[in-house]
Amino acid sequence: MRPSTVRRAAAALAVTALTLTALPAKADPVKPPRLSAAAITSALNEDVSIPGTTWMTRPDGTVEVSYDSTVTGSKLTSLTGVTKKLGEGVVLTKLPGKLTTRISGGSAIYGGNVKCSAGFNVSRRGIYYLLTAGHCGAEAATWYNNSAKTSRLGSRHHFSFPGNDYSLIVYRTDIPRPGGSVNLYNGRSQDISRAVNPNLGKYVYRAGGTTGLQHGTVTGLNVTVNYPEGRVTGMIRSSVCSEPGDSGGPLFYRQYAYGLLSGGSGDCSSGGVSYFQPVVEALTRYGVAVY
């Protein structure tokens, strides 16, 4: 090759190298900002009403969306389609069994065709009432102490369900003053003197007519639950198990009242998740107090 040809080839290579060097580096794709828990919850409230689903905000700011065994096929596709659009701020988990209210099975109080559990005894201006689950109160106007319905307990004064899940039963005026304690199902009882909202991680007990005394911890606050009957909000989630007939039963620790059993999934043999109506909200709504 002649010297002039070599010089031209070298110059061409230099121009090519300069051109390649001058090309801008390809930028990494920019991730969209993570949505806030409030924005995610708002979207879920708007776009998801599938029975068997729940959601709550975790301490780390992510939103945990849970679904039960009935959410399959097109329902699951619809749910995951929404959660994927909401980005990495959503964590999807599966619940054990089927999410239901707990109004059937053995229990302490009976009304209509259902059986539930007594919650907390409360009072207002010398009148005594019983707090229980709203979905129980929705089923019957008159409540009894026994399954034969020969011993009348009282009458439904008010109920709220869905949306909330609490009900107020007014005791008969001719019965003795009801006690302010909770049955521990071991021959003893626990006096209840205060109602407060629990913190995450709080150790708690639940009493119910079907499964007696059970324990666990609070695992979520301000939880949204979609039952087949409708949505309830502001619930307490716990690791305490429950079964049909336990509805309305009290969530407590020592002298502190926390909530009323609303529903759950799983059972007390294999384990499960339960949801509770905060009792402070119900007390405020009805203007009553534990004693």
Side-chain angles (χ1 to χ4, degrees), residues 51-223:
T53 57
T54 79
W55 48 84
M56 66 179 186
T57 301
R58 289 175 161 181
D60 64 0
T62 60
V63 176
E64 180 176 343
V65 178
S66 303
Y67 63 97
D68 71 8
S69 60
T70 68
V71 182
T72 59
S74 60
K75 293 181 182 178
L76 184 57
T77 300
S78 175
L79 177 64
T80 55
V82 173
T83 57
K84 286 179 181 177
K85 289 180 182 177
L86 296 176
E88 61 182 13
V90 175
V91 178
L92 198 63
T93 63
K94 187 171 183 179
L95 295 168
K98 182 180 178 180
L99 178 64
T100 64
T101 52
R102 303 300 208 186
I103 61 172
S104 61
S107 63
I109 58 175
Y110 303 78
N113 295 317
V114 303
K115 305 172 185 179
C116 288
S117 294
F120 298 102
N121 286 327
V122 297
S123 67
R124 180 182 63 193
R125 298 176 183 174
I127 301 175
Y128 298 98
Y129 305 86
L130 170 66
L131 274 176
T132 189
H135 64 270
C136 294
E139 295 291 333
T142 305
W143 288 85
Y144 300 84
N145 278 320
N146 59 345
S147 59
K149 299 178 184 174
T150 57
S151 176
R152 188 171 70 87
L153 180 72
S155 302
R156 180 185 66 206
H157 182 70
H158 189 273
F159 76 91
S160 181
F161 178 80
N164 302 300
D165 199 359
Y166 46 74
S167 180
L168 196 64
I169 296 170
V170 58
Y171 280 107
R172 288 167 37 203
T173 57
D174 60 338
I175 64 174
R177 178 182 184 271
S181 60
V182 168
N183 185 1
L184 298 180
Y185 288 88
N186 60 0
R188 298 184 297 167
S189 60
Q190 171 65 59
D191 184 57
I192 300 297
S193 60
R194 288 187 61 191
V196 297
N197 291 315
N199 296 322
L200 278 175
K202 179 65 182 176
Y203 188 80
V204 289
Y205 290 100
R206 176 198 58 75
T210 300
T211 58
L213 189 69
Q214 302 293 334
H215 59 88
T217 58
V218 173
T219 57
L221 300 172
N222 196 29
V223 183

Side-chain angles (χ1 to χ4, degrees), residues 271-286:
V273 175
S274 294
Y275 300 89
F276 296 83
Q277 164 69 52
V279 74
V280 170
E281 179 184 354
L283 295 174
T284 302
R285 170 66 178 83
Y286 294 135

